[in-house]
Amino acid sequence: NLVGNTAKTLQNKIDNQLENFSKIYSTSSNMQLDIDKVSSSISKVKDETDQVVALAKNSRERILKTENAVKNLVSSMRGITDFVNSTIDTSQQTNMLAMNAAIEAAHAGEQGKGFSIISEEIRKLAVITNTQSENAGNIIRGMEKQFDLITSSIEERISAIDDIFSKTQSFEENMNKLKEITDEKSSSSKEIISSITILYDAIKDIREQYTLF
């Protein structure tokens, strides 16, 4: 009859709607799982990036300490170089004075003989002091050059770390933004799934109540 056919048609339509909602729910649930997986992966990458940033900061701090220590050492060595140069100047002046004194003693004849011997010893000591001071100066200058190369190498490493640090920070910022987006999508997806569930249950109730007639 007409009533029976109409009821059957309505039941079929309700069943179709239930089936459609079931498919939507399944699709939405799968999307939610995918979003959660992406969010989890982003969190993992972010944690690893945070560790890299922390490591870069720590490495930079340690390298800076090393650089400061080297610079302090070079500064101290330059102080020693100044002292050595001063010693060389003094020994050269002493040598000249001793030579002049020896000449004056020679002019004094027999009376200046003893003073001449002392002047010669002073001159020899001045020559030895000058030679040793020059050798020490050469060694120190060579060491200064080596430390300058070390300082230059350290500065290059700091520059490289700063570059890595900058790029890593940029990547970290992008990861944070991406994490925020996926969290928002996850929240929206959960709300949609909740709404679909409510609608599905409502239609199911209607289907069950309609069947009673």
Side-chain angles (χ1 to χ4, degrees):
N1 57 20
L2 180 61
V3 174
N5 291 333
T6 302
K8 187 66 176 176
T9 300
L10 287 172
Q11 285 180 351
N12 289 336
K13 287 183 177 180
I14 292 172
D15 288 340
N16 288 335
Q17 290 299 320
L18 285 172
E19 185 179 352
N20 289 333
F21 270 106
S22 180
K23 289 178 181 178
I24 293 171
Y25 177 85
S26 178
T27 302
S28 299
S29 297
N30 289 333
M31 286 177 62
Q32 178 63 45
L33 289 173
D34 291 338
I35 291 171
D36 289 342
K37 286 179 182 178
V38 171
S39 180
S40 177
S41 297
I42 291 172
S43 295
K44 185 178 180 181
V45 172
K46 185 180 177 301
D47 290 341
E48 292 174 353
T49 304
D50 288 342
Q51 291 177 5
V52 172
V53 170
L55 182 62
K57 283 182 179 179
N58 184 261
S59 297
R60 191 179 191 281
E61 289 173 0
R62 286 190 286 111
I63 291 173
L64 280 174
K65 286 181 181 179
T66 303
E67 183 185 32
N68 289 333
V70 171
K71 285 182 176 179
N72 290 334
L73 184 58
V74 170
S75 179
S76 298
M77 290 177 65
R78 282 173 182 160
I80 295 172
T81 300
D82 292 339
F83 174 75
V84 169
N85 289 335
S86 176
T87 302
I88 291 173
D89 291 340
T90 301
S91 63
Q92 288 175 347
Q93 292 175 12
T94 301
N95 183 33
M96 291 296 297
L97 291 172
M99 287 177 65
N100 291 334
I103 292 171
E104 291 296 328
H107 289 162
E110 191 67 27
Q111 293 179 349
K113 189 175 181 180
F115 187 69
S116 178
I117 294 171
I118 293 173
S119 297
E120 180 61 20
E121 291 299 320
I122 292 173
R123 191 190 69 79
K124 288 179 180 179
L125 181 61
V127 171
I128 292 171
T129 301
N130 183 72
T131 302
Q132 291 178 341
S133 296
E134 286 182 347
N135 290 337
N138 289 333
I139 292 170
I140 291 172
R141 279 189 290 274
M143 292 175 68
E144 284 180 0
K145 288 180 180 178
Q146 291 299 318
F147 279 115
D148 284 340
L149 291 174
I150 292 172
T151 301
S152 178
S153 176
I154 288 172
E155 288 174 350
E156 288 177 2
R157 288 186 64 188
I158 291 174
S159 178
I161 288 175
D162 285 343
D163 184 53
I164 293 170
F165 183 72
S166 176
K167 290 178 180 177
T168 306
Q169 273 193 319
S170 177
F171 180 74
E172 185 180 32
E173 289 172 2
N174 290 332
M175 285 295 102
N176 287 334
K177 291 177 182 178
L178 193 56
K179 183 70 169 61
E180 289 176 5
I181 292 170
T182 53
D183 286 345
E184 288 175 2
K185 292 294 182 183
S186 177
S187 178
S188 299
S189 178
K190 287 177 181 177
E191 290 178 2
I192 290 170
I193 291 172
S194 177
S195 298
I196 290 171
T197 302
I198 292 170
L199 288 172
Y200 180 85
D201 290 341
I203 294 173
K204 191 175 180 182
D205 288 341
I206 292 171
R207 173 70 173 81
E208 291 173 355
Q209 291 173 13
Y210 190 84
T211 305
L212 296 176
F213 291 99

